Coordinates of all heavy atoms in Angstrom, one line a residue:
L313 N 114.9 107.2 114.4 CA 116.2 107.1 115.1 C 116.7 108.5 115.6 O 116.9 109.4 114.8 CB 117.3 106.5 114.1 CG 116.9 105.2 113.5 CD1 117.7 105.0 112.2 CD2 117.1 104.1 114.4
S314 N 116.8 108.6 116.9 CA 117.2 109.9 117.5 C 118.7 109.9 117.6 O 119.3 108.9 117.9 CB 116.6 110.0 118.9 OG 117.0 111.3 119.4
S315 N 119.3 111.0 117.3 CA 120.8 111.1 117.4 C 121.3 111.1 118.8 O 122.4 110.8 119.1 CB 121.3 112.4 116.7 OG 120.7 113.5 117.3
D316 N 120.4 111.5 119.8 CA 120.9 111.6 121.2 C 119.6 111.4 122.0 O 118.6 112.1 121.8 CB 121.5 112.9 121.4 CG 122.0 113.2 122.8 OD1 121.5 112.5 123.7 OD2 122.8 114.1 123.0
A317 N 119.7 110.6 123.1 CA 118.5 110.4 123.9 C 118.0 111.6 124.6 O 116.8 111.8 124.8 CB 118.9 109.3 125.0
G318 N 118.9 112.6 124.8 CA 118.5 113.9 125.4 C 118.2 115.0 124.4 O 118.1 116.1 124.7
S319 N 118.0 114.6 123.1 CA 117.9 115.6 122.1 C 116.5 116.2 122.0 O 116.3 117.2 121.3 CB 118.2 115.0 120.7 OG 117.2 114.0 120.3
G320 N 115.5 115.6 122.7 CA 114.2 116.2 122.6 C 113.3 115.6 121.5 O 112.5 116.3 120.9
T321 N 113.6 114.3 121.1 CA 112.8 113.7 120.1 C 111.8 112.8 120.9 O 112.2 111.9 121.6 CB 113.7 112.8 119.2 OG1 114.6 113.6 118.5 CG2 112.8 112.1 118.1
L322 N 110.5 113.0 120.7 CA 109.5 112.3 121.4 C 108.6 111.6 120.4 O 108.2 112.1 119.4 CB 108.6 113.2 122.3 CG 109.4 114.1 123.3 CD1 108.4 115.1 123.9 CD2 110.1 113.3 124.3
L323 N 108.2 110.4 120.8 CA 107.2 109.6 120.0 C 106.0 109.4 121.0 O 106.1 108.8 122.0 CB 107.8 108.3 119.6 CG 106.8 107.4 118.8 CD1 106.2 108.1 117.6 CD2 107.4 106.0 118.5
N324 N 104.9 110.0 120.6 CA 103.7 109.9 121.4 C 103.9 110.3 122.9 O 103.5 109.7 123.8 CB 103.1 108.5 121.4 CG 102.7 108.1 119.9 OD1 102.2 109.0 119.2 ND2 102.9 106.9 119.5
G325 N 104.8 111.4 123.0 CA 105.0 112.0 124.3 C 106.2 111.4 125.1 O 106.5 111.8 126.2
R326 N 106.8 110.3 124.5 CA 107.9 109.6 125.3 C 109.2 109.8 124.5 O 109.2 109.7 123.3 CB 107.6 108.2 125.4 CG 106.2 107.9 126.1 CD 105.9 106.5 126.2 NE 106.3 106.1 127.6 CZ 106.0 105.0 128.1 NH1 105.4 104.1 127.4 NH2 106.3 104.7 129.3
P327 N 110.3 110.0 125.3 CA 111.6 110.1 124.6 C 112.0 108.8 124.0 O 111.7 107.8 124.5 CB 112.6 110.4 125.8 CG 111.7 110.8 126.9 CD 110.4 110.2 126.7
V328 N 112.6 108.9 122.8 CA 113.0 107.7 122.1 C 114.4 107.8 121.6 O 114.9 108.9 121.3 CB 112.1 107.4 120.9 CG1 110.7 107.0 121.3 CG2 112.0 108.5 119.9
R329 N 115.0 106.7 121.4 CA 116.3 106.5 120.8 C 116.1 105.8 119.4 O 116.7 106.2 118.4 CB 117.3 105.7 121.7 CG 118.6 105.6 121.2 CD 119.5 106.8 121.6 NE 120.8 106.4 121.4 CZ 121.8 107.3 121.0 NH1 121.5 108.5 120.8 NH2 123.0 106.9 120.9
R330 N 115.3 104.8 119.4 CA 114.9 104.0 118.2 C 113.5 103.5 118.5 O 113.3 102.8 119.5 CB 115.9 102.9 118.0 CG 115.6 102.0 116.8 CD 116.5 100.8 116.7 NE 116.1 99.9 115.7 CZ 116.4 100.0 114.4 NH1 117.3 100.9 114.0 NH2 116.0 99.1 113.5
A331 N 112.6 103.7 117.5 CA 111.2 103.2 117.6 C 110.6 103.1 116.3 O 110.9 103.9 115.4 CB 110.4 104.1 118.5
E332 N 109.8 102.1 116.1 CA 109.0 101.9 114.9 C 107.8 102.8 114.9 O 107.2 103.0 115.9 CB 108.5 100.4 114.8 CG 107.9 100.1 113.5 CD 107.5 98.7 113.3 OE1 108.2 97.8 113.9 OE2 106.5 98.4 112.6

Side-chain angles (χ1 to χ4, degrees):
L313 304 160
S314 180
S315 61
D316 180 341
S319 67
T321 302
L322 306 176
L323 176 61
N324 299 320
R326 304 179 100 168
V328 295
R329 183 86 162 145
R330 178 185 173 90
E332 186 174 328

